[in-house]
Amino acid sequence: MAHFAEIDSNGVVQRVIVVANKDTADVNGNESEAIGVAFCQKLLGGNWKQTSYNGNIRKHYAGIGHTYDAGYDAFIAPKPYPSWKLDADCNWQAPVPMPENGQMYSWDEAVGDWVVATESTVDGVPV
């Protein structure tokens, strides 16, 4: 099975569908993204890109609300916090690395740092 993501004019993923291998292959059984895209367009219209669970196509598996970036040829998850930056592998990174001391942490955007997570905080905010 192959997976294809429909992207809108802004590159935002609208949906992800599963396509049978036979619908992505030529008469010799060779799979091709172009054949799969043509199948999706004929069936549903729209603009389609292939995606992969294991990330061997376009760095990450596409999800609804993710963005396809043509420059990186990658699907990118929504930015979790304004201060985070995209790294070369298209993963969002906090401006401060999370401590690795066995404690649970959550990012506190107002503080700009990791705070020890407790049962009564979510993203550094008391609940």
Side-chain angles (χ1 to χ4, degrees), residues 1 4 14 16 22 25 35 39 42 45 51 55-56 66-67 77 80 82 86 89 94 106-107 117 122 124 127:
M1 298 309 227
F4 287 81
Q14 302 300 301
V16 179
K22 70 178 181 64
I35 293 171
F39 174 81
K42 182 178 179 183
T51 187
N56 65 3
H66 290 200
T67 301
L86 198 63
D89 293 321
S106 61
W107 180 254
V122 174
V127 290

Side-chain angles (χ1 to χ4, degrees), residues 16-119:
V16 179
I17 63 170
V18 178
V19 176
N21 290 341
K22 70 178 181 64
D23 294 319
T24 66
D26 63 17
V27 294
N28 296 317
N30 300 312
E31 293 180 27
S32 160
E33 178 178 9
I35 293 171
V37 165
F39 174 81
C40 293
Q41 289 173 330
K42 182 178 179 183
L43 185 67
L44 302 165
N47 184 18
W48 297 85
K49 296 285 182 187
Q50 191 168 5
T51 187
S52 169
Y53 273 126
N54 59 20
N56 65 3
I57 301 172
R58 304 199 164 87
K59 299 190 189 272
H60 303 286
Y61 184 73
I64 294 172
H66 290 200
T67 301
Y68 172 71
D69 185 297
Y72 286 109
D73 189 28
F75 289 106
I76 301 171
K79 190 173 188 176
Y81 299 98
S83 65
W84 289 32
K85 304 290 182 206
L86 198 63
D87 69 15
D89 293 321
C90 296
N91 293 310
W92 293 108
Q93 299 297 327
V96 177
M98 184 171 64
E100 295 182 23
N101 59 9
Q103 290 187 292
M104 301 275 297
Y105 288 88
S106 61
W107 180 254
D108 187 328
E109 185 70 6
V111 174
D113 205 349
W114 296 96
V115 296
V116 175
T118 65
E119 291 182 30

